[in-house]
């Protein structure tokens, strides 16, 4: 089961250039920016009420975000659902034949463990599952 829609990821060429627009739309500045080095992305998070908006900017040419923008241009990149037990959900989905883009939970932004599902198996929508990192 999904708990809730956690955030919506939008690929942008430049967070700095997109920020005035999103500030106007949402009515508030992003509340944090964070880099995810392993993914080659910089992120900015906005609080949009029941959901967060995550802007994603590539930090290098090998970044999946760079490739996405080259292919499709800026725009909706993924939707992220929160789950209670990421590893268990991954196991259950794998058993149904849905392909996962990472075999193990990986570190995402915003203190999350994440996993992406293969968009070819989910009607062309890139879906992220995320779980708050257990505090150690
Ligand atoms: Zn995300």
């Amino acid at each position: 089961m999904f708990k809730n829609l956690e955030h919506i990821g939008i690929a942008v060429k430049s967070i700095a250039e997109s920020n005035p627009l999103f500030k106007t739309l949402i009515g508030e500045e992003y509340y944090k920016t964070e880099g995810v080095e392993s993914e080659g992305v910089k992120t900015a998070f906005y609080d949009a009420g029941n959901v967060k908006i995550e802007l994603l900017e590539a930090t290098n040419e090998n970044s999946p975000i760079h490739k996405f923008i080259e292919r499709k241009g800026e725009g909706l990149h993924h939707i992220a659902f929160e789950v209670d037990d990421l590893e268990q959900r991954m196991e259950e989905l794998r058993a149904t034949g849905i392909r996962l883009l990472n075999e193990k939970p990986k570190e995402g932004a915003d203190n999350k463990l994440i996993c992406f599902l293969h968009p070819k198996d989910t009607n062309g929508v890139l879906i992220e599952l995320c779980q708050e990192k257990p505090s150690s």
Side-chain angles (χ1 to χ4, degrees):
M1 289 281 283
F2 292 159
K3 278 170 71 180
N4 58 288
L5 180 60
E6 216 279 332
H7 64 269
I8 295 172
I10 298 174
V12 298
K13 287 180 185 158
S14 158
I15 287 172
E17 279 173 33
S18 297
N19 180 48
L21 169 66
F22 282 89
K23 195 175 162 187
T24 300
L25 291 171
I26 293 166
E28 273 178 45
E29 185 72 65
Y30 54 75
Y31 62 90
K32 75 163 154 186
T33 62
E34 191 180 335
V36 183
E37 217 137 285
S38 56
E39 297 289 298
V41 298
K42 186 177 150 193
T43 65
F45 284 90
Y46 296 80
D47 180 353
N50 290 330
V51 71
K52 300 167 190 162
I53 302 288
E54 174 187 35
L55 297 190
L56 301 143
E57 173 190 320
T59 56
N60 65 60
E61 300 217 328
N62 295 321
S63 165
I65 296 302
H66 178 80
K67 291 173 187 159
F68 177 89
I69 289 176
E70 276 204 328
R71 279 204 326 272
K72 302 188 175 179
E74 294 180 302
L76 184 59
H77 182 260
H78 67 271
I79 56 177
F81 292 98
E82 188 166 20
V83 298
D84 277 324
D85 185 336
L86 181 58
E87 287 204 55
Q88 187 193 331
R89 283 305 287 148
M90 289 170 68
E91 211 45 63
E92 289 164 2
L93 291 172
R94 198 182 277 126
T96 70
I98 293 176
R99 286 169 287 173
L100 310 177
L101 293 188
N102 45 292
E103 288 307 309
K104 291 203 156 107
K106 64 179 180 179
E107 304 255 328
D110 202 28
N111 196 41
K112 297 280 195 298
L113 293 172
I114 65 169
C115 174
F116 284 102
L117 310 184
H118 199 303
K120 289 220 165 106
D121 293 344
T122 52
N123 284 120
V125 178
L126 181 58
I127 294 177
E128 173 190 329
L129 304 182
C130 62
Q131 177 195 343
E132 196 79 18
K133 250 190 253 175
S135 46
S136 47

